[in-house]
Amino acid sequence: MNFDEVFEKLKAKFPGGVLERADTKPDPFIKVAPAEIRDILLYLRDELKFETIANLGGIDYPQLPALCVFYHPASYTHTLVVALKAYLPREEMPKIPSVADIYKAADWLERETYDMFGIEFVGHPDPRRILMPEDWVGYPLRKDFVTPDYYNGMPVPLYFDDPQGKPK
Amino acid sequence: MTPPDSVVMTSIDDVLKWGRSNSLWPLTFGLACCAIEMMATGAADYDLERFGCGVFRSTPRQADLMIVAGTVTLKMASRIRTLYEQMPEPKWVISMGSCSNKGGPYWAQGYHVLKGVDRVVPVDVYVPGCPPRPETLLEAVINLQKKIKVQQASLGALGLLRRRA
């Protein structure tokens, strides 16, 4: 099995959920609808033998504008990793169904994506920040994130007079 | 019978300084890749124990030297301050590596890194390097011992020599 077969099977099974394929280099990806990501990953896991998820994370596209969650389900059977991307509106806290109960590896990856991008994974068993402090304000990997001047009374920028941290 | 040349004359101060400088007990405390070099320094090849500094303690209550080995994130900074305050006087701090000196490679874009551990605890010796080689850390320990030997030990025991709280 290769990427083309996976795409054809997904397209036949989910005509509304699988939107299009993008033949980017070096690896193509499949654009999917966020609402059907659980059904698609369940089908991939149970029918197409994608036993694990290699990666899950977020991307910020201020030029589209969109926030993206990407999934890399991986198959030991076919020695194959495919990339799925779900595009969400670029707003304060967009929502997408959690897949932590489908792939256990996705648990902490979804927490990290929530931590860095401010995407809510509906149904996640433990939706807390994982890297940043719990009282941190903002989502650091968004392109419009501004580093705060102070955190808990500690100055954050290197050059205190210049909050941008640029050398003088 | 006591031979007449067996009496050693010195001051309490000198004895205290000599004792403290040669029995530094570091806190087992590694934050990032610098900790690997710190472990190498403590291991057989470089043998930090030669300088009386190899007794890594697992609790701050028994330590008097904190080697801040690695990147100090903002999340860790308040913990470092707590650990420092839990150490009994007199106490010293070595800032090991570029990250804890001044933020290191995160100096401009690191939203989560404290730009220098001297913003939360007073530092006695700074060790440059990314990470510093074990010889560099050994030299820092020797420099710290020299520094302890010129401080006034009795005042240090009372906590009067700390630069800031």
Side-chain angles (χ1 to χ4, degrees):
Chain A
M1 187 175 281
N2 56 26
F3 179 83
D4 298 320
E5 294 176 45
V6 173
F7 175 72
E8 292 307 322
K9 286 193 177 181
L10 282 181
K11 187 69 186 168
K13 179 87 177 170
F14 302 98
V18 176
L19 301 176
E20 57 180 312
R21 62 178 285 174
D23 288 305
T24 47
K25 298 290 179 188
D27 292 318
F29 68 87
I30 303 170
K31 195 173 166 185
V32 298
E36 297 198 31
I37 186 66
R38 283 184 57 86
D39 295 335
I40 293 170
L41 285 180
L42 270 174
Y43 175 70
L44 279 172
R45 186 190 72 176
D46 294 337
E47 308 290 329
L48 300 187
K49 303 249 185 319
F50 280 78
E51 297 96 348
T52 185
I53 191 159
N55 203 357
L56 186 161
I59 309 169
D60 188 10
Y61 293 110
Q63 70 272 21
L64 287 180
L67 277 167
C68 164
V69 181
F70 65 84
Y71 300 83
H72 290 176
S75 169
Y76 296 112
T77 311
H78 312 301
T79 328
L80 181 66
V81 180
V82 299
L84 311 177
K85 281 188 182 180
Y87 287 82
L88 301 167
R90 193 166 187 274
E91 57 194 30
E92 175 63 29
M93 186 69 78
K95 290 181 171 57
I96 190 167
S98 167
V99 298
D101 56 333
I102 300 174
Y103 292 117
K104 280 198 175 175
D107 187 329
W108 282 15
L109 297 170
E110 285 185 347
R111 278 179 67 185
E112 186 187 356
T113 310
Y114 159 72
D115 197 353
M116 293 289 139
F117 292 93
I119 297 168
E120 182 181 347
F121 290 87
V122 180
H124 191 280
D126 188 17
R128 288 180 296 141
R129 285 185 183 271
I130 189 170
L131 295 170
M132 301 305 292
E134 280 164 21
D135 54 353
W136 187 261
V137 178
Y139 302 100
L141 288 193
R142 288 206 185 190
K143 301 289 186 191
D144 53 0
F145 175 77
V146 179
T147 305
D149 283 351
Y150 286 93
Y151 170 72
N152 274 356
M154 291 176 284
V156 178
L158 174 59
Y159 295 99
F160 194 54
D161 296 329
D162 178 8
Q164 297 302 314
K166 292 191 178 119
K168 286 177 180 164
Chain B
M1 189 186 85
T2 308
D5 58 347
S6 68
V7 177
V8 177
M9 295 289 288
T10 181
S11 62
I12 296 286
D13 207 59
D14 284 347
V15 174
L16 280 177
K17 287 191 285 193
W18 173 81
R20 281 174 185 167
S21 64
N22 291 302
S23 64
L24 287 168
W25 286 13
L27 183 60
T28 308
F29 184 52
L31 295 178
C33 30
C34 278
I36 305 296
E37 299 295 312
M38 185 176 70
M39 291 176 228
T41 314
D45 268 14
Y46 295 95
D47 199 8
L48 193 57
E49 194 67 69
R50 287 179 293 163
F51 305 97
C53 188
V55 194
F56 282 90
R57 306 311 291 180
S58 302
T59 163
R61 310 280 185 199
Q62 298 171 354
D64 53 8
L65 169 63
M66 175 189 268
I67 303 177
V68 184
T71 313
V72 182
T73 58
L74 293 170
K75 197 174 180 179
M76 192 67 198
S78 52
R79 276 83 162 169
I80 287 181
R81 181 72 208 179
T82 307
L83 286 170
Y84 178 78
E85 284 169 357
Q86 285 173 340
M87 286 162 60
E89 293 277 356
K91 52 194 171 184
W92 298 275
V93 177
I94 289 178
S95 166
M96 180 182 180
S98 297
C99 289
S100 68
N101 288 346
K102 207 63 185 170
Y106 315 100
W107 64 286
Q109 310 296 336
Y111 55 89
H112 64 302
V113 175
L114 189 71
K115 307 298 186 299
V117 75
D118 50 4
R119 288 183 176 182
V120 289
V121 294
V123 175
D124 292 283
V125 180
Y126 295 87
V127 190
C130 186
R133 282 193 58 82
E135 298 94 323
T136 326
L137 183 58
L138 287 180
E139 188 181 352
V141 169
I142 294 167
N143 278 335
L144 179 64
Q145 289 176 338
K146 285 180 188 164
K147 188 172 178 175
I148 294 169
K149 280 171 186 158
V150 300
Q151 283 181 341
Q152 284 193 45
S154 46
L155 290 181
L158 295 172
L160 300 177
L161 270 186
R162 303 314 303 177
R163 290 193 295 276
R164 51 196 152 102

